[in-house]
Amino acid sequence: MINRRTAAAPRSPGRRRTRWHFYWFLATASAVVFFVLAALDQPVGGVLVPPFSWLVRVVLMLAGCVTVVTAFVATRALSSARGPEVSQVLPRRLPARYLGSFPSLDALQSDRRHVTDTYAKRAIVLFGRMLTDPAYRLRLEETITLDSDKARTQSKAEYSIPWPERRGLAEECRDVARPEVVLVPLLWPLKGTLLDDLVITDSRGVRLVALSRAETSALVGWACVPLFSAAVSGDPGSRFDVSRWAVMNRIRQLIAYPDPIDPDELWERIEATMRDHDLDPGALAEAHPGAYANFRKTCRSLAQRYVLAVEVPVPDGALLSIQYTRSVTVRSFGPGGLRGEIEDMIGLEPSRFEIAIVAAELYASYHAEIDGRAQDRYVRFQEVVNNDAEGSPPVDDSVFQLNPARPDHPPRMMLRNDSGYIYPHLHLTNLGYLEAPPRLSWRVHFEEIPPGGLGPVVAMSTAVTLITMVFALAAARITALDLNAPALALAVPLFVITVFGFSFTRLIRSTLTVVGGFVAASVLAVFAVVTLLTLRDVGPGELQPFVLSGWTVLGLRFHLLLALCALAGLMLTSYLTAVLIIWTRRYRVHQQRVHDIIGGDHDGAGAPHRR
């Protein structure tokens, strides 16, 4: 007998979304009922009797507001609690179970045979040198265009091919009838990364095609042979016996594992393989420290990343240039605490970004630039942080420790901001020569160029203040209900904010202060309209509600609620105006500082790591 309850199929995402929409509709309808009951005298006239009528109305209005807020928060929580429905790996391989057995040695041997039959030997050797020696990878220039927490990266990579190697490669390709191409290790993406939008071209704009994963794994295996040889004997070109080839094939199998694994676990497996064939890792590290460190660094890098290689026609000169574009996800971080939670809840776009510095380890020179024009923002400050340290503190050149093998290539780091104050720049050199490069990230904090979204909000707040101030004095003289008054109180702020260029797109790209000012001014405007709607017909000698006979301003009676609304609007306008002045002043000071730096005032140029 089948248990129908346990055998029932899980609810589909469509049914869950329908249920959430029903909850939202039910909560909204309940809030509307609460607000209507608070506004009407019937059919609850038996309850709404003095002196409790105002208290019941306030409770009903609060219940409506709480219902709307609770429904909004609950709906967001329910919608974000769904299980993963995209990017699911089936079946998921466990590294502890399959590492060292997949892919098989026969498959790797077949791939290596295919590579050696397709490309010239010099092309394979040059690939290995480009992969392991930063001197062949001259520079990488990246321009990052931000759009919310997504980014489009345009990159230009340049490689150096010494003339003797270039000439020998061309001659060998012609002699053995192989394609005259250079195999270039272009990217080191994380294993499992999708690169469906990657577009690669050469310097002439001709589209390039990446090699298959199996071909690249075979090339990487060949590139590790001289590294292992140098780590064992000190000579990259020493011959291997059967035992050494057994160790090397096992290492090829370990680094070819397709899923990301822990670098420490991979290196432990490699050292265990070396011990099984009478090789002492400790003795090798002492005998050949530089070569052993280089071999260990390369293997650990291949634990979580793979190499994406392309074949490029042999260039006419000694330089080879490749351009490529791709989309990347940029981590954004907020101010934290309650403010950060509120910004995330209302959907404000981030202004602080953190970009992982990964490609800088692969090139002798790395230069990155962020294009902030689309966001109408300028760079408030930028810094490089060390993710290996607790709390990710900002760092300077002192974080780098020279590789004992290459003391003549000390790393350098520089940050600057120029070209209209919206283009932050990061420049790193010789990071690839470090034995263990730290995990660095580039943090950039943008601020909106004033007035930005604050200008229309200040204008709206000023209009609300003036219109409520006028009606606070005029309400004491109104003897009959006139719908023109509330219509005017609503139309004037809307007209003013429209004239000053208000848009919700700019609002969500602004700050919590701007959003709070807009909401507060809107609430004051609505409150003023509701208050004007409560005016009634009065006879001679009678006063409107909330018009006190004993209180005057400049000898004039005033409406108490509208006067309080005008006072609140004046305080709000003063605060927003002060914020606008501070933002503008800070922006001008930042401009002047950038002008001084560009003009030659390099005070503190030895440590320009936060701008």
Short mmCIF file of all heavy atoms in Angstrom, two decimals, residues 462-524:
data_model
loop_
_atom_site.label_atom_id
_atom_site.label_comp_id
_atom_site.label_asym_id
_atom_site.label_seq_id
_atom_site.Cartn_x
_atom_site.Cartn_y
_atom_site.Cartn_z
N THR A 462 11.19 71.43 0.10
CA THR A 462 10.98 72.88 0.20
C THR A 462 9.57 73.25 -0.25
O THR A 462 8.89 74.08 0.40
CB THR A 462 12.01 73.61 -0.66
OG1 THR A 462 13.33 73.23 -0.26
CG2 THR A 462 11.85 75.11 -0.53
N ALA A 463 9.09 72.65 -1.35
CA ALA A 463 7.74 72.94 -1.83
C ALA A 463 6.68 72.52 -0.81
O ALA A 463 5.70 73.25 -0.56
CB ALA A 463 7.51 72.24 -3.16
N VAL A 464 6.86 71.33 -0.19
CA VAL A 464 5.91 70.88 0.82
C VAL A 464 5.91 71.83 2.02
O VAL A 464 4.84 72.17 2.57
CB VAL A 464 6.26 69.44 1.26
CG1 VAL A 464 5.43 69.03 2.47
CG2 VAL A 464 6.03 68.47 0.12
N THR A 465 7.08 72.29 2.43
CA THR A 465 7.17 73.21 3.56
C THR A 465 6.44 74.51 3.27
O THR A 465 5.66 75.02 4.10
CB THR A 465 8.64 73.48 3.90
OG1 THR A 465 9.30 72.25 4.19
CG2 THR A 465 8.76 74.41 5.08
N LEU A 466 6.68 75.08 2.10
CA LEU A 466 6.05 76.37 1.77
C LEU A 466 4.54 76.24 1.62
O LEU A 466 3.79 77.08 2.12
CB LEU A 466 6.67 76.91 0.48
CG LEU A 466 8.16 77.31 0.56
CD1 LEU A 466 8.67 77.78 -0.79
CD2 LEU A 466 8.37 78.40 1.61
N ILE A 467 4.08 75.18 0.95
CA ILE A 467 2.65 75.06 0.71
C ILE A 467 1.90 74.78 2.01
O ILE A 467 0.79 75.30 2.24
CB ILE A 467 2.37 73.98 -0.35
CG1 ILE A 467 0.97 74.15 -0.93
CG2 ILE A 467 2.54 72.58 0.22
CD1 ILE A 467 0.82 75.36 -1.79
N THR A 468 2.47 73.97 2.90
CA THR A 468 1.81 73.72 4.19
C THR A 468 1.87 74.96 5.09
O THR A 468 0.94 75.19 5.87
CB THR A 468 2.48 72.54 4.90
OG1 THR A 468 3.90 72.75 4.97
CG2 THR A 468 2.22 71.24 4.15
N MET A 469 2.92 75.73 4.98
CA MET A 469 3.01 76.97 5.76
C MET A 469 1.92 77.95 5.33
O MET A 469 1.26 78.59 6.17
CB MET A 469 4.39 77.60 5.59
CG MET A 469 4.66 78.78 6.51
SD MET A 469 6.32 79.43 6.25
CE MET A 469 7.32 78.00 6.65
N VAL A 470 1.69 78.06 4.04
CA VAL A 470 0.64 78.96 3.54
C VAL A 470 -0.74 78.48 3.97
O VAL A 470 -1.57 79.26 4.46
CB VAL A 470 0.74 79.08 2.00
CG1 VAL A 470 -0.48 79.82 1.45
CG2 VAL A 470 2.01 79.78 1.61
N PHE A 471 -0.98 77.17 3.82
CA PHE A 471 -2.31 76.66 4.19
C PHE A 471 -2.51 76.63 5.69
O PHE A 471 -3.66 76.62 6.16
CB PHE A 471 -2.52 75.27 3.59
CG PHE A 471 -2.92 75.28 2.15
CD1 PHE A 471 -2.11 74.72 1.18
CD2 PHE A 471 -4.11 75.87 1.76
CE1 PHE A 471 -2.48 74.72 -0.15
CE2 PHE A 471 -4.49 75.88 0.42
CZ PHE A 471 -3.67 75.31 -0.54
N ALA A 472 -1.44 76.58 6.49
CA ALA A 472 -1.60 76.64 7.94
C ALA A 472 -2.21 77.97 8.37
O ALA A 472 -3.01 78.02 9.31
CB ALA A 472 -0.25 76.42 8.62
N LEU A 473 -1.84 79.04 7.66
CA LEU A 473 -2.43 80.36 7.96
C LEU A 473 -3.76 80.55 7.26
O LEU A 473 -4.67 81.21 7.79
CB LEU A 473 -1.45 81.45 7.54
CG LEU A 473 -0.10 81.45 8.26
CD1 LEU A 473 0.81 82.53 7.70
CD2 LEU A 473 -0.27 81.64 9.76
N ALA A 474 -3.89 79.98 6.05
CA ALA A 474 -5.14 80.19 5.31
C ALA A 474 -6.28 79.33 5.84
O ALA A 474 -7.46 79.69 5.68
CB ALA A 474 -4.92 79.87 3.83
N ALA A 475 -5.98 78.19 6.47
CA ALA A 475 -7.05 77.30 6.95
C ALA A 475 -7.90 77.95 8.02
O ALA A 475 -9.08 77.61 8.17
CB ALA A 475 -6.44 76.00 7.48
N ALA A 476 -7.32 78.87 8.80
CA ALA A 476 -8.09 79.55 9.84
C ALA A 476 -9.15 80.47 9.25
O ALA A 476 -10.09 80.86 9.97
CB ALA A 476 -7.15 80.35 10.75
N ARG A 477 -9.05 80.81 7.96
CA ARG A 477 -9.99 81.71 7.32
C ARG A 477 -10.89 80.99 6.31
O ARG A 477 -11.71 81.63 5.65
CB ARG A 477 -9.23 82.82 6.61
CG ARG A 477 -8.57 83.77 7.61
CD ARG A 477 -7.42 84.55 7.01
NE ARG A 477 -6.84 85.45 7.99
CZ ARG A 477 -6.01 85.06 8.94
NH1 ARG A 477 -5.65 83.79 9.01
NH2 ARG A 477 -5.54 85.92 9.82
N ILE A 478 -10.73 79.71 6.14
CA ILE A 478 -11.59 78.95 5.24
C ILE A 478 -12.88 78.60 5.98
O ILE A 478 -12.86 78.02 7.07
CB ILE A 478 -10.88 77.67 4.77
CG1 ILE A 478 -9.65 78.03 3.93
CG2 ILE A 478 -11.84 76.81 3.94
CD1 ILE A 478 -8.86 76.84 3.47
N THR A 479 -14.00 78.96 5.39
CA THR A 479 -15.31 78.71 6.02
C THR A 479 -16.07 77.58 5.35
O THR A 479 -17.13 77.18 5.85
CB THR A 479 -16.16 79.98 5.97
OG1 THR A 479 -16.32 80.39 4.60
CG2 THR A 479 -15.49 81.10 6.76
N ALA A 480 -15.58 77.08 4.23
CA ALA A 480 -16.27 75.99 3.53
C ALA A 480 -15.23 75.06 2.91
O ALA A 480 -14.11 75.48 2.58
CB ALA A 480 -17.21 76.53 2.44
N LEU A 481 -15.59 73.77 2.79
CA LEU A 481 -14.69 72.79 2.20
C LEU A 481 -14.47 73.10 0.73
O LEU A 481 -15.43 73.24 -0.03
CB LEU A 481 -15.26 71.39 2.36
CG LEU A 481 -14.47 70.26 1.70
CD1 LEU A 481 -13.06 70.15 2.30
CD2 LEU A 481 -15.20 68.93 1.84
N ASP A 482 -13.21 73.22 0.34
CA ASP A 482 -12.86 73.52 -1.05
C ASP A 482 -11.83 72.48 -1.48
O ASP A 482 -10.72 72.41 -0.93
CB ASP A 482 -12.29 74.94 -1.17
CG ASP A 482 -12.05 75.32 -2.63
OD1 ASP A 482 -12.35 74.50 -3.52
OD2 ASP A 482 -11.54 76.45 -2.86
N LEU A 483 -12.17 71.66 -2.49
CA LEU A 483 -11.26 70.62 -2.94
C LEU A 483 -10.06 71.16 -3.69
O LEU A 483 -9.11 70.40 -3.96
CB LEU A 483 -12.01 69.62 -3.83
CG LEU A 483 -13.11 68.81 -3.13
CD1 LEU A 483 -13.79 67.87 -4.12
CD2 LEU A 483 -12.55 68.02 -1.95
N ASN A 484 -10.09 72.42 -4.07
CA ASN A 484 -8.92 72.99 -4.75
C ASN A 484 -7.70 73.06 -3.82
O ASN A 484 -6.56 72.96 -4.27
CB ASN A 484 -9.25 74.38 -5.28
CG ASN A 484 -10.22 74.35 -6.44
OD1 ASN A 484 -10.22 73.40 -7.22
ND2 ASN A 484 -11.07 75.36 -6.54
N ALA A 485 -7.95 73.25 -2.52
CA ALA A 485 -6.84 73.36 -1.58
C ALA A 485 -6.05 72.05 -1.48
O ALA A 485 -4.82 72.04 -1.66
CB ALA A 485 -7.36 73.81 -0.21
N PRO A 486 -6.67 70.88 -1.19
CA PRO A 486 -5.88 69.64 -1.14
C PRO A 486 -5.28 69.27 -2.49
O PRO A 486 -4.20 68.69 -2.55
CB PRO A 486 -6.88 68.60 -0.67
CG PRO A 486 -8.22 69.18 -0.91
CD PRO A 486 -8.07 70.66 -0.79
N ALA A 487 -5.98 69.58 -3.58
CA ALA A 487 -5.42 69.28 -4.91
C ALA A 487 -4.15 70.09 -5.15
O ALA A 487 -3.16 69.60 -5.69
CB ALA A 487 -6.45 69.56 -5.99
N LEU A 488 -4.18 71.37 -4.73
CA LEU A 488 -3.00 72.22 -4.90
C LEU A 488 -1.84 71.74 -4.02
O LEU A 488 -0.68 71.75 -4.43
CB LEU A 488 -3.35 73.67 -4.57
CG LEU A 488 -2.26 74.71 -4.80
CD1 LEU A 488 -1.88 74.76 -6.28
CD2 LEU A 488 -2.72 76.08 -4.31
N ALA A 489 -2.17 71.31 -2.78
CA ALA A 489 -1.12 70.84 -1.87
C ALA A 489 -0.44 69.58 -2.40
O ALA A 489 0.72 69.32 -2.08
CB ALA A 489 -1.73 70.56 -0.49
N LEU A 490 -1.14 68.80 -3.22
CA LEU A 490 -0.54 67.60 -3.81
C LEU A 490 0.15 67.89 -5.13
O LEU A 490 1.18 67.29 -5.46
CB LEU A 490 -1.61 66.53 -4.00
CG LEU A 490 -1.15 65.17 -4.52
CD1 LEU A 490 -0.17 64.53 -3.55
CD2 LEU A 490 -2.34 64.26 -4.76
N ALA A 491 -0.42 68.81 -5.91
CA ALA A 491 0.10 69.07 -7.25
C ALA A 491 1.42 69.83 -7.23
O ALA A 491 2.31 69.58 -8.05
CB ALA A 491 -0.93 69.82 -8.08
N VAL A 492 1.58 70.77 -6.30
CA VAL A 492 2.79 71.60 -6.29
C VAL A 492 4.05 70.77 -6.03
O VAL A 492 5.04 70.87 -6.78
CB VAL A 492 2.64 72.74 -5.26
CG1 VAL A 492 3.97 73.46 -5.06
CG2 VAL A 492 1.58 73.72 -5.73
N PRO A 493 4.10 69.89 -4.99
CA PRO A 493 5.32 69.09 -4.82
C PRO A 493 5.60 68.16 -5.99
O PRO A 493 6.76 67.97 -6.38
CB PRO A 493 5.02 68.30 -3.54
CG PRO A 493 4.00 69.10 -2.81
CD PRO A 493 3.15 69.70 -3.88
N LEU A 494 4.53 67.57 -6.57
CA LEU A 494 4.75 66.70 -7.72
C LEU A 494 5.31 67.47 -8.91
O LEU A 494 6.20 66.99 -9.62
CB LEU A 494 3.43 66.02 -8.11
CG LEU A 494 2.90 64.97 -7.11
CD1 LEU A 494 1.56 64.43 -7.59
CD2 LEU A 494 3.89 63.84 -6.92
N PHE A 495 4.81 68.67 -9.14
CA PHE A 495 5.32 69.48 -10.24
C PHE A 495 6.78 69.87 -10.02
O PHE A 495 7.61 69.78 -10.94
CB PHE A 495 4.45 70.73 -10.40
CG PHE A 495 4.98 71.72 -11.40
CD1 PHE A 495 4.84 71.49 -12.75
CD2 PHE A 495 5.63 72.88 -10.98
CE1 PHE A 495 5.33 72.40 -13.68
CE2 PHE A 495 6.13 73.78 -11.89
CZ PHE A 495 5.97 73.54 -13.25
N VAL A 496 7.09 70.25 -8.79
CA VAL A 496 8.46 70.70 -8.50
C VAL A 496 9.45 69.55 -8.66
O VAL A 496 10.51 69.70 -9.29
CB VAL A 496 8.53 71.28 -7.07
CG1 VAL A 496 9.97 71.52 -6.66
CG2 VAL A 496 7.74 72.58 -7.01
N ILE A 497 9.13 68.36 -8.13
CA ILE A 497 10.08 67.25 -8.20
C ILE A 497 10.24 66.77 -9.63
O ILE A 497 11.30 66.28 -10.03
CB ILE A 497 9.64 66.11 -7.26
CG1 ILE A 497 10.81 65.16 -6.99
CG2 ILE A 497 8.45 65.35 -7.83
CD1 ILE A 497 10.52 64.12 -5.95
N THR A 498 9.19 66.90 -10.44
CA THR A 498 9.30 66.52 -11.85
C THR A 498 10.18 67.49 -12.61
O THR A 498 11.01 67.09 -13.44
CB THR A 498 7.90 66.46 -12.49
OG1 THR A 498 7.09 65.55 -11.74
CG2 THR A 498 7.99 65.99 -13.93
N VAL A 499 10.03 68.79 -12.34
CA VAL A 499 10.84 69.80 -13.02
C VAL A 499 12.32 69.62 -12.71
O VAL A 499 13.19 69.80 -13.58
CB VAL A 499 10.37 71.21 -12.62
CG1 VAL A 499 11.35 72.27 -13.11
CG2 VAL A 499 8.98 71.49 -13.20
N PHE A 500 12.65 69.20 -11.49
CA PHE A 500 14.04 69.03 -11.09
C PHE A 500 14.62 67.67 -11.49
O PHE A 500 15.71 67.31 -11.05
CB PHE A 500 14.19 69.23 -9.58
CG PHE A 500 14.28 70.67 -9.17
CD1 PHE A 500 13.13 71.44 -9.04
CD2 PHE A 500 15.50 71.26 -8.95
CE1 PHE A 500 13.20 72.77 -8.66
CE2 PHE A 500 15.59 72.60 -8.58
CZ PHE A 500 14.44 73.36 -8.44
N GLY A 501 13.92 66.91 -12.31
CA GLY A 501 14.49 65.70 -12.89
C GLY A 501 14.48 64.48 -12.00
O GLY A 501 15.43 63.69 -12.02
N PHE A 502 13.41 64.28 -11.23
CA PHE A 502 13.35 63.10 -10.37
C PHE A 502 13.11 61.85 -11.21
O PHE A 502 12.35 61.87 -12.19
CB PHE A 502 12.22 63.25 -9.35
CG PHE A 502 11.97 62.02 -8.54
CD1 PHE A 502 12.76 61.72 -7.46
CD2 PHE A 502 10.93 61.16 -8.87
CE1 PHE A 502 12.54 60.58 -6.71
CE2 PHE A 502 10.70 60.02 -8.13
CZ PHE A 502 11.49 59.73 -7.04
N SER A 503 13.76 60.75 -10.83
CA SER A 503 13.52 59.45 -11.44
C SER A 503 13.81 58.37 -10.42
O SER A 503 14.71 58.50 -9.59
CB SER A 503 14.40 59.25 -12.68
OG SER A 503 15.76 59.15 -12.31
N PHE A 504 13.03 57.28 -10.47
CA PHE A 504 13.24 56.18 -9.52
C PHE A 504 14.55 55.45 -9.81
O PHE A 504 15.15 54.87 -8.91
CB PHE A 504 12.06 55.22 -9.59
CG PHE A 504 10.85 55.70 -8.83
CD1 PHE A 504 9.80 56.31 -9.48
CD2 PHE A 504 10.79 55.57 -7.45
CE1 PHE A 504 8.69 56.76 -8.79
CE2 PHE A 504 9.69 56.02 -6.74
CZ PHE A 504 8.64 56.62 -7.41
N THR A 505 14.99 55.48 -11.07
CA THR A 505 16.28 54.86 -11.39
C THR A 505 17.41 55.55 -10.66
O THR A 505 18.31 54.90 -10.10
CB THR A 505 16.52 54.91 -12.91
OG1 THR A 505 15.46 54.25 -13.58
CG2 THR A 505 17.85 54.26 -13.26
N ARG A 506 17.37 56.88 -10.63
CA ARG A 506 18.39 57.61 -9.88
C ARG A 506 18.20 57.43 -8.38
O ARG A 506 19.18 57.43 -7.63
CB ARG A 506 18.32 59.09 -10.25
CG ARG A 506 19.31 59.96 -9.49
CD ARG A 506 19.24 61.41 -9.92
NE ARG A 506 19.75 61.56 -11.28
CZ ARG A 506 19.84 62.74 -11.91
NH1 ARG A 506 19.45 63.84 -11.29
NH2 ARG A 506 20.31 62.80 -13.13
N LEU A 507 16.95 57.27 -7.95
CA LEU A 507 16.70 57.14 -6.51
C LEU A 507 17.33 55.86 -5.96
O LEU A 507 17.97 55.88 -4.90
CB LEU A 507 15.18 57.12 -6.26
CG LEU A 507 14.76 57.07 -4.79
CD1 LEU A 507 15.13 58.36 -4.08
CD2 LEU A 507 13.25 56.82 -4.68
N ILE A 508 17.19 54.72 -6.67
CA ILE A 508 17.75 53.48 -6.16
C ILE A 508 19.26 53.44 -6.28
O ILE A 508 19.92 52.60 -5.67
CB ILE A 508 17.13 52.27 -6.87
CG1 ILE A 508 17.48 52.27 -8.36
CG2 ILE A 508 15.64 52.21 -6.67
CD1 ILE A 508 17.00 51.04 -9.09
N ARG A 509 19.84 54.34 -7.09
CA ARG A 509 21.30 54.43 -7.17
C ARG A 509 21.87 55.42 -6.16
O ARG A 509 23.07 55.62 -6.10
CB ARG A 509 21.72 54.85 -8.57
CG ARG A 509 21.53 53.76 -9.62
CD ARG A 509 21.97 54.22 -10.98
NE ARG A 509 21.88 53.14 -11.96
CZ ARG A 509 22.13 53.26 -13.25
NH1 ARG A 509 22.50 54.44 -13.73
NH2 ARG A 509 22.02 52.24 -14.06
N SER A 510 21.00 56.06 -5.40
CA SER A 510 21.44 57.06 -4.45
C SER A 510 21.62 56.41 -3.08
O SER A 510 21.79 55.18 -2.97
CB SER A 510 20.41 58.20 -4.41
OG SER A 510 20.93 59.30 -3.70
N THR A 511 21.54 57.21 -2.03
CA THR A 511 21.81 56.73 -0.69
C THR A 511 20.53 56.61 0.12
O THR A 511 19.46 57.05 -0.29
CB THR A 511 22.78 57.69 0.04
OG1 THR A 511 22.14 58.97 0.18
CG2 THR A 511 24.05 57.86 -0.76
N LEU A 512 20.66 56.05 1.31
CA LEU A 512 19.52 55.90 2.20
C LEU A 512 19.01 57.26 2.66
O LEU A 512 17.81 57.41 2.93
CB LEU A 512 19.92 55.04 3.40
CG LEU A 512 18.80 54.58 4.33
CD1 LEU A 512 17.79 53.74 3.57
CD2 LEU A 512 19.38 53.81 5.51
N THR A 513 19.88 58.26 2.75
CA THR A 513 19.44 59.60 3.12
C THR A 513 18.48 60.17 2.09
O THR A 513 17.45 60.77 2.44
CB THR A 513 20.66 60.52 3.26
OG1 THR A 513 21.53 60.01 4.27
CG2 THR A 513 20.24 61.93 3.64
N VAL A 514 18.78 59.98 0.81
CA VAL A 514 17.90 60.49 -0.24
C VAL A 514 16.57 59.76 -0.22
O VAL A 514 15.49 60.38 -0.33
CB VAL A 514 18.59 60.34 -1.61
CG1 VAL A 514 17.66 60.79 -2.73
CG2 VAL A 514 19.88 61.15 -1.64
N VAL A 515 16.59 58.45 -0.06
CA VAL A 515 15.35 57.69 0.00
C VAL A 515 14.52 58.09 1.21
O VAL A 515 13.30 58.29 1.12
CB VAL A 515 15.66 56.18 0.01
CG1 VAL A 515 14.38 55.37 0.16
CG2 VAL A 515 16.38 55.77 -1.25
N GLY A 516 15.18 58.23 2.36
CA GLY A 516 14.46 58.66 3.55
C GLY A 516 13.87 60.05 3.40
O GLY A 516 12.74 60.31 3.85
N GLY A 517 14.61 60.96 2.78
CA GLY A 517 14.08 62.31 2.55
C GLY A 517 12.88 62.30 1.63
O GLY A 517 11.90 63.03 1.85
N PHE A 518 12.95 61.47 0.58
CA PHE A 518 11.81 61.39 -0.35
C PHE A 518 10.58 60.82 0.35
O PHE A 518 9.46 61.33 0.17
CB PHE A 518 12.20 60.52 -1.54
CG PHE A 518 11.06 60.22 -2.47
CD1 PHE A 518 10.55 61.18 -3.33
CD2 PHE A 518 10.48 58.95 -2.48
CE1 PHE A 518 9.49 60.90 -4.17
CE2 PHE A 518 9.44 58.66 -3.33
CZ PHE A 518 8.94 59.64 -4.18
N VAL A 519 10.76 59.76 1.13
CA VAL A 519 9.63 59.16 1.84
C VAL A 519 9.05 60.14 2.86
O VAL A 519 7.82 60.30 2.97
CB VAL A 519 10.07 57.86 2.52
CG1 VAL A 519 8.96 57.31 3.41
CG2 VAL A 519 10.46 56.83 1.48
N ALA A 520 9.92 60.84 3.61
CA ALA A 520 9.43 61.79 4.61
C ALA A 520 8.68 62.94 3.97
O ALA A 520 7.60 63.35 4.44
CB ALA A 520 10.61 62.32 5.43
N ALA A 521 9.21 63.50 2.87
CA ALA A 521 8.50 64.59 2.18
C ALA A 521 7.17 64.10 1.61
O ALA A 521 6.18 64.84 1.65
CB ALA A 521 9.39 65.14 1.07
N SER A 522 7.14 62.88 1.10
CA SER A 522 5.88 62.34 0.57
C SER A 522 4.86 62.16 1.69
O SER A 522 3.67 62.46 1.51
CB SER A 522 6.14 61.00 -0.12
OG SER A 522 7.06 61.15 -1.18
N VAL A 523 5.30 61.68 2.85
CA VAL A 523 4.38 61.50 3.98
C VAL A 523 3.83 62.85 4.43
O VAL A 523 2.63 62.98 4.72
CB VAL A 523 5.09 60.77 5.13
CG1 VAL A 523 4.26 60.80 6.40
CG2 VAL A 523 5.41 59.34 4.74
N LEU A 524 4.67 63.87 4.50
CA LEU A 524 4.21 65.20 4.89
C LEU A 524 3.20 65.75 3.89
O LEU A 524 2.19 66.36 4.27
CB LEU A 524 5.39 66.15 5.03
CG LEU A 524 6.35 65.88 6.19
CD1 LEU A 524 7.52 66.85 6.17
CD2 LEU A 524 5.61 65.97 7.52
#
